[in-house]
Amino acid sequence: MFNELEERQDFIVIKGRHKKAMKCDSHSVSGSVSQRACVYSGARVVLNPIADAVHLVHGPIGCAAYTWDIRGSLSSGSELYRRSFCTDLKERDIVFGGNERLAAAIDKLVQLYAPKLIFVYATCVVGVIGDDLEAVCKAASSKYGIDVIPVQSSGFMGNKAAGYRAACDALLKLIEPVNTDNIGKSRSINYLGDFNLAAETWIISNYFRSIGIEINAVLTGDSEYAKLKKTTDACLNIVQCAGSMNYLAHKLNDLYGMPYIDVSFLGIQDTSESLRKVAAFFNDDDIILKTEEMIKSQTAKANQAIERYKHHLCGKKAAIYVGGGFKAISLLKQFREIGIDVVMIGTQNGQPHEYDTLQELADEGVIIVDDANTSELEQFILEKGADILVGGVKERFLAYKLGVAFIDHNHNRKHPLSGYEGAVNFAKEVYSTVCSPVWKYALDQGGDSAR
Amino acid sequence: MTERKNLVVNPVKTCQPLGAVLACLGIHGCMPHSHGSQGCASYLRMQLSRHFREFIPTTTSSFSEAQVVFGGSGNLKQAIRNIIHIYKPQAIGVSTTCSAETIGDDAEGIIAEMRGSGELPEDVVIFTASTPSYKGSHVTGFASMVKSAVDSIAVKGAANDKINIIPGMISPGDIREIKRLLALMGIKAIIMPDISGVLDAPMTGKLKLYQDGGTPLEEIADMANSSITFALGQEASLPAALGLEEKHGVSAEMLPLPIGIENTDRFIMELSRISGKPVPAQLEEERGRLVDMMLDAHAHWYGKKAAIYGDPDIVEGITAMAVGLGIEPLYVLTGTKSNRWEETVKTIAPNAHVINGGDLLTLKDLMKEQPVDIMLGNSHGKFLAKEMDMPLIRVGFPILDRANLQHFPVVGYSGAAWLAERIGNTLLDWKDAHVPDHMLELIM
């Protein structure tokens, strides 16, 4: 166990002991093993699923290499987004500026791939040397008659959440309607904050199709240039990953008067509630009837499937450490649906209102922590006797070394976790790791830390 | 194929700090520190975690806009104080990032200033490497950090009875194999860095920030007193060996990574020559078994064409191994530019198309003109392999889509045996999966 820093105390609360406004949304402490990513990373994960776009990293090679195919987003069409493009800045560019190199790279990309859309991402060093992305992109746009959009994502300008905003600003430029006559005229909806990890967007789109609601554009799972250009045609925005897309929904409301509602398709309860909310918006008896029918049949089917796993899982304890507060709230509910008690909840970039919700929802004694460092994670997992940790790749092996099971609820997830199918997959995934015989051997090896 | 000067598509390299962090992990009790934005540390940890499937600690200076304007010195000092206080390391290896270098932070100077003010405890060793991402690659970052650690820690004293081995960017399984060979030969060696026991640590139920493995600081100090340093691989290992030669007069000898039968022979013969010890019968036998395996399977791979890509030292070794098997390396490519490497590979495989500092789009363009039968390289090649409909043998860095490979060596006779088995039987698996039913053979 490692000593704690006093300056971290405000970032941690224990439910029941003290209700307090948690500190969050600030920089990591220098010298900590922070789990947090950067602005560029936040921007890239939001925009990356736009499949027929070129995603050009203006910076040194590392930024491009680590985010190559970073998100397991699937595309039904173009695979262009899965290539790694980089200006690979060299020392002379740092000294003399990288504008020319960037312009030349865009020329080459147009020649090689003839894209309709290029995103140019600013990295830390580009922010420091002050390359004029706006100007280079603007010149390229008019030269080729395509959208070349700068993403202002220098890594030191904040954390991942700032990157979400940078991505949303880039999206706003892209979806600005040329013709304002069609705004809100279609009876279809936009689905914000689903990235089609492991085909999740397709599952939710199917639900809407079967209750008679058409999806106009998805931001950004399995999306493409042409569809995004018509974003403002929709009459409603539904927002799932609030952390990344709330800002965009607000802006679309301000700019074009598009209404929005928050939804969550993680877990049975949230999925049903969200479908009802959207159906109610349309105030159409046929849609409402179809929605209720679907909820009834899907819930029965899912519950039956989950029952098979649930009795193996009842009484187990889970720790949550994920990127955003939205995901943490959903996971808390999902674990309850499969009979597992949540004992620790942490996020990398949760917002104050999300921490308030978590404090309300959590059971007595649950530890809630912002931007947990490695030693805190270890301490809380062991103290609370968690059987399973849910997190991202950097936490997986921490859990394994402690003899604690793990599921990836981040970009590396391999099974869809959305909707009713997702709820069943979640139970199955938890079951297949918690109940694997491997823990028997791990216990023999001294993995008693948590039991 | 069109020239591309300003655009990399699907890189075969990553940035210097990654190699620097990896080098630190091979030093016992050492905390890698990344002087830059928090995202850098996060990426390095993520990528190394995905490759090794291990917990990777790395601390960050956590830059914000203020540091970019006023400099990162305060953050680095605060970070060092916090690391010493919270994580209690024996050593800290500071690598710089592109933003830190561009704003002009002098990490070495800042540490010297802290030392001068007397605030650093005597028993914590701190060394720094300048590793901006706009120079070199992860391989040069690795080399620089190994050199920096050795330069800062090695101290001249009484001669020891050991040799130094700088093994390069190889897997924990490879280092275990090198240790086994040394033990069989009865040679005492200091291996630096040594990620075995760190990045293949056993399950114990405890999360150890500092695993039991890693080269102990005392051994690094003693490297100044060894008789010779073998640098295995020019790009990742030679700089540190030359540093020891310059500063402490320990003669440096460069050898290729002992991948394949000939490079392993050379390694063993050199060990025998400098130690005056004969090659033990057990190794002769091992070599004999390998040759026997190659005899049994040589028809399966003879004359096949290969594309080999990845980091220079490993690619050089794999190319030599392929030539020894009778496989024709048609394309040999690295993302880390090195003229010495290009010359060497052209000597090993005179008919190969050698690409010095290329990317996977270059390889694809070439393969479209003239295809090969098999690819050997990292996981990023899998899309190309699928598109071109050919098997891929995963070797090198990064491997993100297969588990446990880090535990199996590609060096030594046993590494060559494993590779030969992989190559031969993968080609047969491929044939089975692709022939029509009536052509499927039982006896192959």
Side-chain angles (χ1 to χ4, degrees), chain A residues 78-92:
Chain A
S78 175
E79 292 281 309
L80 193 55
Y81 72 119
R82 303 190 71 177
R83 293 186 176 86
S84 175
F85 300 114
C86 184
T87 50
D88 190 16
L89 289 182
K90 296 283 186 267
E91 200 165 14
R92 62 176 179 277

Side-chain angles (χ1 to χ4, degrees), chain B residues 415-436:
Chain B
W418 180 84
L419 266 175
E421 184 281 329
R422 276 255 141 170
I423 294 170
N425 289 339
T426 299
L427 285 165
L428 296 184
D429 284 345
W430 191 254
K431 196 173 167 193
D432 280 351
H434 285 70
V435 293

Side-chain angles (χ1 to χ4, degrees), chain B residues 161-181:
Chain B
D161 56 350
K162 295 173 181 172
I163 63 165
N164 298 328
I165 291 187
I166 304 189
M169 270 189 69
I170 53 177
S171 71
D174 289 326
I175 292 187
R176 286 185 189 282
E177 177 61 13
I178 287 173
K179 284 182 173 171
R180 191 183 67 89
L181 293 174

Side-chain angles (χ1 to χ4, degrees), chain A residues 224-390:
Chain A
E224 57 184 40
Y225 178 79
K227 281 189 204 160
L228 290 173
K229 276 289 184 191
K230 290 185 181 162
T231 300
T232 51
D233 288 3
C235 63
L236 173 70
N237 288 327
I238 64 170
V239 189
Q240 166 148 266
C241 179
S244 65
M245 286 291 177
N246 235 339
Y247 172 74
L248 185 70
H250 276 277
K251 281 277 185 186
L252 290 173
N253 186 255
D254 290 349
L255 292 168
Y256 310 115
M258 298 180 80
Y260 66 93
I261 50 179
D262 287 332
V263 294
S264 160
F265 295 106
L266 294 171
I268 294 176
Q269 192 193 334
D270 279 11
T271 301
S272 300
E273 275 173 25
S274 299
L275 288 168
R276 282 195 181 106
K277 266 203 251 180
V278 180
F281 174 87
F282 282 89
N283 195 20
D284 173 320
D285 289 345
D286 187 45
I287 290 178
I288 292 171
L289 184 72
K290 279 186 183 155
T291 306
E292 289 305 327
E293 276 171 6
M294 190 183 69
I295 290 174
K296 201 174 160 197
S297 73
Q298 290 275 11
T299 306
K301 216 165 76 184
N303 277 332
Q304 196 187 359
I306 287 174
E307 227 26 69
R308 284 212 305 274
Y309 307 111
K310 201 170 170 179
H311 73 273
H312 294 284
L313 300 175
C314 269
K316 299 277 186 192
K317 295 175 197 162
I320 298 172
Y321 189 67
V322 290
F326 163 82
K327 215 187 276 175
I329 294 167
S330 293
L331 278 165
L332 176 63
K333 294 183 193 165
Q334 267 186 293
F335 273 120
R336 281 191 181 147
E337 283 178 359
I338 59 172
I340 288 184
D341 299 324
V342 171
V343 292
M344 187 210 99
I345 309 166
T347 89
Q348 292 168 32
N349 303 304
Q351 298 298 308
H353 67 276
E354 292 167 335
Y355 278 113
D356 287 344
T357 310
L358 284 170
Q359 286 196 56
E360 274 162 35
L361 288 176
D363 295 328
E364 290 290 298
V366 171
I367 292 173
I368 304 173
V369 55
D370 180 65
D371 186 28
N373 61 41
T374 299
S375 50
E376 287 164 354
L377 281 180
E378 180 194 15
Q379 182 191 338
F380 298 146
I381 287 169
L382 293 184
E383 236 172 64
K384 289 288 173 180
D387 298 286
I388 183 166
L389 172 70
V390 46

Side-chain angles (χ1 to χ4, degrees), chain A residues 126-145:
Chain A
V126 164
V128 180
I129 62 177
D131 276 0
D132 191 352
L133 253 64
E134 295 280 350
V136 176
C137 291
K138 206 174 162 193
S141 281
S142 49
K143 185 172 175 187
Y144 296 110

Side-chain angles (χ1 to χ4, degrees), chain A residues 110-166:
Chain A
V110 171
Q111 186 196 335
L112 286 172
Y113 301 100
K116 293 192 187 80
L117 170 62
I118 300 177
F119 287 111
V120 178
Y121 298 84
T123 55
C124 286
V125 73
V126 164
V128 180
I129 62 177
D131 276 0
D132 191 352
L133 253 64
E134 295 280 350
V136 176
C137 291
K138 206 174 162 193
S141 281
S142 49
K143 185 172 175 187
Y144 296 110
I146 60 170
D147 280 309
V148 183
I149 298 177
V151 185
Q152 299 297 354
S153 50
S154 270
F156 53 79
M157 310 267 287
N159 57 25
K160 208 171 174 183
Y164 298 153
R165 284 192 288 277

